[in-house]
């Protein structure tokens, strides 16, 4: 059990390092991490092959050209789940 916890902690640390490196690289190149202009402030977005929907400012989708807004119907049709990173508000 302790070995599994140690391995899980290592994986989480590795993921965090990847996110931090990616964000730092975007800042260093002057790339914007702002939300895509496609989405209004209260909208949620998703990637075409994604399984989750996100806030437009979520670090997992910010700056990606293929991001598009999704509505409640699209979320239901595609069976999208809320992102665990940005925790978007439920779509009404």
């Amino acid at each position: 059990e302790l070995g599994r916890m140690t391995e899980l902690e290592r994986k989480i640390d590795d993921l965090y390092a990847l996110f931090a490196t990616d964000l730092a690289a975007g800042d260093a190149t002057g790339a914007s991490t702002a939300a895509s202009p496609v989405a209004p402030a209260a909208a949620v977005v998703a990637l075409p092959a994604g399984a989750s929907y996100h806030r437009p400012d979520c670090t997992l989708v910010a700056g990606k050209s293929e991001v598009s807004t999704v509505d409640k119907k699209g979320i239901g049709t595609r069976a999208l789940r809320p992102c665990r990173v940005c925790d978007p508000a439920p779509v009404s």
Side-chain angles (χ1 to χ4, degrees):
E1 184 80 29
L2 183 59
R4 291 179 69 195
M5 288 299 291
T6 301
E7 179 66 12
L8 181 60
E9 288 173 350
R10 185 192 61 76
K11 287 180 180 182
I12 290 170
D13 288 343
D14 289 348
L15 281 172
Y16 178 78
L18 288 171
F19 284 129
T21 300
D22 188 46
L23 289 174
D27 290 343
T29 61
S32 173
T33 58
S36 170
V38 173
V44 293
V45 298
L47 294 168
S52 301
Y53 64 93
H54 309 264
R55 291 188 338 228
D57 61 346
C58 179
T59 58
L60 299 179
V61 297
K64 295 191 176 180
S65 61
E66 62 274 9
V67 116
S68 62
T69 57
V70 289
D71 58 11
K72 186 175 184 174
K73 182 179 178 185
I75 290 169
T77 301
R78 293 175 54 189
L80 297 174
R81 299 179 312 270
C83 172
R84 291 189 272 174
V85 173
C86 67
D87 192 27
V91 177
S92 54

